[in-house]
Amino acid sequence: MSFWEKLVNAIGNTAGNALSAVVEAIRTVFEGDPETRRKVAFSVAIIALSAKMAKADGIVSEKEVEAFREIFEFPQDQAKNVARLYNLARQDVAGYEAYAERLSTLCITCAANCTVLEDVLDGLFHIAKADGLIHEKELNFLNHIGAIFQMSETRFEQIAARHVSSGGDPYKVLGVSPSDDFPTIRRRYRGLVSEHHPDRLISRGVPKEFHVIANERMAALNAAYAAIEKERRAA
């Protein structure tokens, strides 16, 4: 039995107030398997919060669905289970704030600027920008999620800058200041590359399908560093 089936079976026929049932199922069904529990918690966070984001925006485009599938290349025979979780979250009476707060407690490394929760935000940004534009309501939603996740304003801006279609401020992408000297910027860049290496993501319980986001993130970091390096050489 797949973990999707285990989770859906544990939730049962809950309707209208599914959040508590989902969180409790993740805590208990996978209690003796921390690696799977991290993967399930991460996956459910993306599913539930993307459903809430779609509801806040009012529109679910085909491109957003495709972006969702890029993150979760789940077996076709599990499509109904994934769809059930998505629809439970979308129809749940609980607001997205409650979902973000409860799901963040499933992160065993939860702290300010938690890397696992940053991964969740990256996934949500990936879905939000799928139609070519991050709408104001979506950005407000993501900003509020970041605050609930205890992301500092600087860290949130750094995440958001990676997803601006026209190319974000390279200094914001790396979380540095234009007044910083180049050796400081280089150390920061190397630290981010190490922090976001695919092996690190796997150890955090991020599903292997998330490599799409990981590749986007690395490309943004590399492009930002290259832009700053070129600017400094021309100065």
Side-chain angles (χ1 to χ4, degrees), residues 95-189:
Y96 72 86
E97 299 92 345
Y99 264 80
E101 289 167 1
R102 291 295 299 278
L103 292 171
S104 69
T105 67
L106 295 172
C107 175
I108 60 173
T109 61
C110 191
N113 296 326
C114 171
T115 51
V116 177
L117 298 180
E118 180 175 344
D119 293 333
V120 172
L121 270 174
D122 256 332
L124 294 173
F125 264 106
H126 177 75
I127 295 169
K129 71 180 183 183
D131 57 1
L133 177 68
I134 298 178
H135 300 279
E136 184 177 357
K137 288 183 179 179
E138 291 173 325
L139 186 58
N140 290 338
F141 174 93
L142 292 164
N143 202 336
H144 198 186
I145 293 294
I148 294 171
F149 283 176
Q150 299 184 55
M151 291 287 165
S152 67
E153 184 176 343
T154 299
R155 189 66 169 234
F156 181 83
E157 288 180 353
Q158 181 183 350
I159 298 168
R162 294 199 292 257
H163 295 276
V164 176
S165 59
S166 59
D169 181 335
Y171 291 96
K172 285 187 177 181
V173 171
L174 297 184
V176 295
S177 170
S179 62
D180 290 335
D181 60 29
F182 193 68
T184 297
I185 293 172
R186 183 169 56 239
R187 284 195 299 272
R188 173 62 175 166
Y189 163 71

Side-chain angles (χ1 to χ4, degrees), residues 7-8 10-26 44 48 52 84-95 98-99 102-103 106:
L7 184 61
V8 169
I11 295 170
N13 295 318
T14 303
N17 190 15
L19 175 58
S20 296
V22 171
V23 172
E24 185 59 25
I26 294 172
V44 170
K52 291 296 186 181
R84 174 162 169 71
L85 288 170
Y86 186 94
N87 288 328
L88 276 174
R90 188 175 58 181
Q91 298 167 13
D92 197 347
V93 296
Y99 264 80
R102 291 295 299 278
L103 292 171
L106 295 172

